[in-house]
Amino acid sequence: MKPFVGWTRVAVMGVLLWQLCVAAFAQEEMKEQDLGANTKSSPTGQTGAGTGSRGMAAAKPGQADGTGNPRLGGERRPLYRLKHSDVVALSFTLSPEFDQTLTIQPDGYVTLKDAGPVLAQGLTLEEFRLAVARAYTGYLHDPQVAVALKEFEHPYFVAGGEVGRPGKYELHSDTSIMEAIEIAGGFTHEARHSQVLLFRRVNDDLVEARVFNLKKMLKEKNLGEVPQLRPGDLVFVPQNSVSKIERFLSKPSLSMYVSSTQF
């Protein structure tokens, strides 16, 4: 009987030892899987909290995402390009005797001191700086020049037709058609509120024209479709139909000279 009990104890101990080995192996395998997942999620091979693609994105704030999101810097405003009548100042670091202030002429050129004419119209400030440096290469060794824009034509819009004060106005901030008309003195009594025209230049050969029924928009209190003006826009308010024929109508004072029995 005793040998049987001894073998039973050995069998039980073997089963318990086998279960402990299986549990230990399973736990080790789970650790290896977790480690592999962390390593895969972190391109740098680091593990732990804060790694992975989210951590990498947070490490580069302010950069554009893959779709060029403008809120993250994916969109840049176009650089200013010089126009005729702009005034630029040139400063030479090592040769201050060549410092000068120039006005771009109607033909688009400026005349540099001792270097002759250089095209400036249509260039950015950096492109113009490089053009000036090239022009002085034969006079100066490695010319170091800086360009500053001193005077330029401010953004503007033009209001014409049946407004109180037709003319050219500076465009300081976001301005709608209705605000532009108010700036220009408002509608006259001969204005046609239902057909206000907006002319906008698309390129050198094409001008876009749009018609807005401001009378309807004001009546319905809906100005959401009124666009903001862009520099160079022309707002034109035409005459109404009555005002066009008003000068051909008989005046009340003529009734004393004309007898109704004649008609």
Side-chain angles (χ1 to χ4, degrees):
M1 188 68 181
K2 288 183 179 181
F4 177 78
V5 174
W7 282 107
T8 302
R9 289 179 180 178
V10 172
V12 171
M13 293 297 294
V15 171
L16 292 176
L17 182 61
W18 179 78
Q19 291 179 348
L20 288 176
C21 293
V22 171
F25 179 80
Q27 185 176 3
E28 186 67 23
E29 186 177 3
M30 291 179 63
K31 289 182 178 180
E32 291 179 357
Q33 290 178 354
D34 293 340
L35 180 61
N38 291 334
T39 304
K40 183 178 181 180
S41 63
S42 177
T44 60
Q46 299 177 354
T47 60
T51 60
S53 59
R54 184 173 302 178
M56 293 296 293
K60 299 180 180 180
Q63 293 187 357
D65 58 8
T67 59
N69 190 335
R71 294 184 179 180
L72 300 178
E75 180 180 354
R76 295 182 57 187
R77 293 181 178 272
L79 297 176
Y80 180 80
R81 295 190 176 275
L82 296 172
K83 302 178 177 62
H84 66 85
S85 299
D86 287 352
V87 179
V88 292
L90 306 182
S91 301
F92 289 81
T93 305
L94 304 178
S95 305
E97 65 273 14
F98 285 95
D99 291 355
Q100 52 199 292
T101 300
L102 305 168
T103 301
I104 301 177
Q105 303 303 313
D107 59 1
Y109 284 82
V110 295
T111 302
L112 301 176
K113 181 180 179 180
D114 295 338
V118 171
L119 179 65
Q121 184 173 351
L123 302 181
T124 65
L125 291 180
E126 178 61 18
E127 291 171 347
F128 179 63
R129 186 190 69 80
L130 294 176
V132 172
R134 287 194 298 268
Y136 277 104
T137 300
Y139 298 88
L140 301 173
H141 174 69
D142 190 19
Q144 301 294 324
V145 58
V147 179
L149 183 63
K150 305 295 290 185
E151 298 180 15
F152 59 94
E153 184 179 38
H154 294 275
Y156 68 91
F157 71 92
V158 178
E162 298 302 323
V163 293
R165 298 185 301 273
K168 182 178 179 181
Y169 296 88
E170 289 190 3
L171 191 62
H172 293 289
S173 59
D174 292 341
T175 304
S176 66
I177 295 180
M178 182 59 66
E179 292 170 334
I181 293 173
E182 293 301 322
I183 292 173
F187 291 108
T188 67
H189 70 282
E190 298 179 350
R192 191 168 193 171
H193 305 63
S194 60
Q195 290 186 348
V196 178
L197 300 173
L198 173 63
F199 295 94
R200 176 171 295 168
R201 181 171 295 279
V202 179
N203 52 47
D204 294 338
D205 302 321
L206 182 62
V207 175
E208 177 187 20
R210 299 176 63 184
V211 182
F212 295 91
N213 189 343
L214 295 185
K215 181 178 180 180
K216 180 180 178 181
M217 292 180 181
L218 288 172
K219 184 178 180 180
E220 297 178 352
K221 299 180 181 180
N222 179 22
L223 298 179
E225 298 181 0
V226 177
Q228 302 294 320
L229 296 186
R230 295 181 183 176
D233 281 355
L234 167 63
V235 179
F236 184 81
V237 181
Q239 279 185 323
N240 57 37
S241 301
V242 175
S243 62
K244 293 180 181 179
I245 63 174
E246 185 178 11
R247 60 195 180 101
F248 299 106
L249 298 178
S250 299
K251 301 298 181 181
S253 58
L254 295 178
S255 61
M256 66 181 62
Y257 303 104
V258 179
S259 173
S260 59
T261 60
Q262 297 177 355
F263 302 94

